[in-house]
Each structure stands twice: as structure tokens, then as C-alpha cells.
Amino acid sequence: MAFSSASNEIYQESLAMHAKYKGKLGIRSKVPLKTKHDLSVAYTPGVAEVSREIVKDKALAYEYTLKANTIAIVTDGSAVLGLGNIGGYAAIPVMEGKAILFKEFAGVDAFPICFESYETNFVDKVRNIAPVFGGINLEDIAAPKCFEVEDALQDIGIPVMHDDQHGTAVVVLAAILNACKVTGKKYGDLNIVISGAGAAGYAITRMLKCIGYSPDVCTRVNDIIVCDTQGTIFRGRPGLYKNKYKFIIAEETNKNALDGSLADAMRGADVFIGVSGPGIVTEKMIRSMNQDAIVFAMANPVPEIMPDKVKHAGAAVVGTGRSDLPNQINNVLAFPGIFRGALDARATRITDEMKIAAAHAIAGCVPRPHRERILPNILDKDVTKAVASAVANAAVQCGCGRARP
């Protein structure tokens, strides 16, 4: 009840703040416009010479325009927070919030581009706005469309990343690396259960099991069992052909082909990762896990199981997505630094090497992790700097960076 009351207060305060400022984001000029000479240099006739130079070499847009430090935050409004398919208009305040996080933590200028979810040629629309931006952050797009859109935009010459997928996966990997240090578990021996097979669940599975990753870049855990609303995903489950991404999961995970419920999957597991819904895990399910279990119940605002119950059931490490509880597993630890590093290196894309480097950089920001602190504070801007440096270096090393950081 206290949580509900506090939430209501935040909701009302947020409405009042948004109404007062008419949103959270604005645009300001970097140059003075006080005299005719100012206008002549900033606009006509002076700006024509800048355009003529860019016509000769498109790469000069990075030198002469906002492109070098600007990200588009693109959504179709189909999977916004926990609100579902609410459309482009209602997505604006969320994307504005993401934009100010980019600015605050990484100094990156970002702007919301919100389409309506019924847009039929979404990929082409996004492709055609690319010239002005140095990167594109895809946000709150429902699965499986989010996978298809991201894949289709990898050839446009600037980094495109769906943060709900990869930002989440990067932070989860960092959290697991440090949780292993706390518990003494060996990463390569881990048996993991993931509840949720949407954007985040799929990306986490891919990263932890190294599906599609080079073995030189990625270290895989022993096994993962992914559960959706129908139970465990396994090779041969009827209907999987309808979703090729679940089919990929089935081919690469659950090596014993366990056919059962989430409770069945959690027996003997070392790690539980929840990216699904509230209250679906019980203390009994936690007790059925291996000793010194690691539990990341990340559904928001109400986790799959509350941390006090996890601890009462005997788990060693617990994390959630909430800011009012220890071990917050939040994308803001990842995406500002990832895009900052990609922009600094003028990367053409965000590669697996860059994502893995980001995860290790985040983990490294907590030199002595313990049960109540496996991740750095999300307000620590030194994390962004560490991630940006690691990502930029990885971009250069893997050959997709066009400038040395």
C-alpha cells in the first residue's frame, strides 16, 4: 500500500512538472544571432559554402554540422515501458526522458522521433532520416518487429541499436560477472533461467549463450532455459515456426529439452533473470534453485518477486530494475556510454565486440563487488566515461571505427 501511495505522488508530481515546462527537452543555439553579420555567417549567404563543401564529401557533415554528436531516439510506440502499444503521441514524454539522459550522462544531443505504430514502411522512414544523425537508438518497439527493424538498418553507415535489447543484455552481463565474484560461481558453469522471450529476453539469451557471437569475443554459460507464457522453450515445441526468434532460442538452449513450467525450469538453476511480469515467482521456486542463487527480478514497476522474499528464500544476490532497491539493473549504465563511444569513434555500427566491451567496463567500475553492490550507481558519470572509452577502442579494433578516440 505504501508503494502504491508513493507511486501516486510521483505520478501527480510528474504530470505537474511536464505541464509546467511543456515537456523536458528544448533546442538552443550554439552561436550568437544578434547582428546582421551573425545571421550572414550562421545562415545565408555563409551557410551555402558549408553545404557546397559537404556536397563534395559527405563525411564533412561530421565536421560542420550537429551530426557528430546527435542521436535519434526512434519508436513506433508499440511497446512503451509497461504500457504496451500506446502509439507515437503517448510515447513522446518517454522518449524526451531518454533524450535528457543522453545529454546528462554522455553529453550527447538526442531527439525523439515518434511514429505511429500503424506505419507500414517504418524501416524506410527511419533510413531516410539518417543523414542528420550520428546514430539511431531504437526504443520501445515490440518484438518481433524490433529485431527485424534493427537488422534491416545495419547497412546505413551509422550505429543503430535497439536499447531494450542490447542495453539490457549488456547490464545483465555486467551484473552476472560481478555476482559470480560474490558467490564464487564460475561463469562458464552457470545454468540460467530467463523468464520472458521478448526483446530483452532474446538479447540476453544471445549474449549469455553467444548465439551468433564470435567465440573470440564471447564466453558462453553452460545452459539457458527460456520461458514464455506457454512454459519452457525447447526444440520440437509445437508452433515455434511462427516466431523465428523463439525458434533460434530453441535450437541453441535447453539442451535437455525440458518441457515444463517456469517452476520446473528453476529447479537446480544458478541464476534467474526476469524480464516478464509481476509476482510470477514464489519463494518455493527460489528455494528449488542451487545454493547461493543469483536472482535478477527486473519486471517494472513490480518485480517477478520482491527482494525481501528472495533473500528470505536463501538467495545470495538479488537485483531488480527499481531505483529504490539495491543492485538496480538499469540500461542507463550502458546506452549513454555505448553511443558516446560509437560517436567518438565515428563507428558505422555497434558490434558484438563493442557490447561485450561495454559490459566488462561496467563490471570493472565496481572493483570489490558484494551482495548489496554488484553494479555501480546509475548516477555515476564515471561509468559513462569508462564505457565510452572501452566501446570506442573496441570499434577501432574491430574495424568499424572511422576515427581514433
Side-chain angles (χ1 to χ4, degrees):
M1 196 71 174
F3 171 64
S4 176
S5 175
S7 295
N8 286 335
E9 288 181 13
I10 289 292
Y11 295 153
Q12 295 306 312
E13 185 178 350
S14 184
L15 282 172
M17 185 268 285
H18 283 79
K20 177 180 179 180
Y21 293 104
K22 299 295 184 288
K24 302 179 287 287
L25 190 66
I27 295 176
R28 63 173 179 81
S29 174
K30 298 177 183 178
V31 299
L33 291 175
K34 296 180 179 179
T35 68
K36 288 184 177 180
H37 181 264
D38 292 342
L39 289 172
S40 296
V41 173
Y43 194 49
T44 184
V47 74
E49 184 62 17
V50 183
S51 295
R52 281 192 286 264
E53 290 298 311
I54 295 174
V55 166
K56 299 174 191 175
D57 181 2
K58 289 181 181 178
L60 289 175
Y62 284 96
E63 302 294 337
Y64 292 138
T65 77
L66 79 173
K67 183 179 180 73
N69 195 51
T70 305
I71 295 291
I73 304 173
V74 175
T75 187
D76 65 352
S78 60
V80 180
L81 295 178
L83 304 174
N85 186 2
I86 61 175
Y89 282 90
I92 296 171
V94 182
M95 302 309 117
E96 275 192 306
K98 196 66 174 278
I100 62 175
L101 290 174
F102 267 115
K103 188 65 175 179
E104 179 68 20
F105 288 98
V108 171
D109 295 320
F111 195 81
I113 307 291
C114 300
F115 296 89
E116 284 292 279
S117 58
Y118 56 74
E119 186 67 49
T120 54
N121 56 344
F122 185 59
V123 169
D124 286 341
K125 293 288 188 183
V126 177
R127 185 183 297 273
N128 287 330
I129 67 168
V132 74
F133 299 105
I136 293 175
N137 182 104
L138 300 174
E139 189 78 15
D140 290 350
I141 301 170
K145 182 179 179 181
C146 60
F147 309 129
E148 298 160 359
V149 170
E150 185 184 58
D151 288 346
L153 291 170
Q154 292 304 306
D155 64 346
I156 63 174
I158 58 174
V160 178
M161 186 181 85
H162 184 219
D163 180 51
D164 297 324
Q165 291 184 62
H166 307 295
T168 306
V170 164
V171 181
V172 166
L173 174 55
I176 289 178
L177 291 172
N178 280 348
C180 283
K181 293 179 183 177
V182 172
T183 60
K185 293 179 183 289
K186 293 182 179 178
Y187 180 84
D189 294 338
L190 293 177
N191 292 309
I192 296 176
V193 173
I194 297 176
S195 176
Y202 176 69
I204 294 168
T205 302
R206 277 197 62 228
M207 183 172 284
L208 299 184
K209 204 73 174 77
C210 301
I211 302 172
Y213 284 67
S214 166
D216 297 332
V217 174
C218 187
T219 302
R220 62 174 60 199
V221 299
N222 181 52
D223 197 18
I224 297 176
I225 298 177
V226 182
C227 298
D228 60 11
T229 55
Q230 297 177 49
T232 59
I233 295 175
F234 60 94
R235 188 182 301 179
R237 193 178 89 172
L240 279 182
Y241 65 90
K242 296 178 182 178
N243 185 320
K244 71 176 183 180
Y245 301 99
K246 290 186 180 182
F247 188 85
I248 291 170
I249 288 174
E251 288 294 301
E252 300 287 346
T253 63
N254 196 356
K255 57 189 179 185
N256 294 324
L258 174 68
D259 178 2
S261 65
L262 176 61
D264 296 325
M266 288 179 66
R267 291 191 192 101
D270 298 294
V271 182
F272 169 80
I273 300 169
V275 280
S276 49
I280 62 172
V281 175
T282 66
E283 288 188 46
K284 182 179 179 180
M285 293 159 71
I286 299 298
R287 290 192 187 98
S288 75
M289 298 175 69
N290 277 343
Q291 188 173 356
D292 291 327
I294 299 165
V295 177
F296 299 153
M298 296 161 55
N300 249 327
V302 181
E304 286 82 0
I305 180 171
M306 292 301 290
D308 57 337
K309 293 183 178 180
V310 178
K311 292 177 181 178
H312 186 259
V317 178
V318 57
T320 71
R322 284 174 47 167
S323 59
D324 60 339
L325 297 168
N327 294 328
Q328 185 182 12
I329 301 168
N330 191 296
N331 292 8
V332 78
L333 290 170
F335 71 80
I338 290 174
F339 274 100
R340 177 75 273 161
L343 289 173
D344 290 346
R346 292 192 186 172
T348 56
R349 60 178 62 204
I350 292 171
T351 66
D352 293 338
E353 290 90 341
M354 294 158 73
K355 290 179 280 187
I356 297 292
H360 282 274
I362 293 168
C365 289
V366 186
R368 291 180 295 279
H370 53 80
R371 292 176 184 234
E372 299 298 312
R373 188 170 186 262
I374 57 170
L375 289 172
N377 190 305
I378 64 167
L379 298 176
D380 184 352
K381 295 180 183 178
D382 287 338
V383 177
T384 298
K385 295 175 184 177
V387 172
S389 177
V391 167
N393 287 329
V396 172
Q397 291 171 12
C398 71
C400 73
R402 292 173 287 194
R404 290 202 169 272

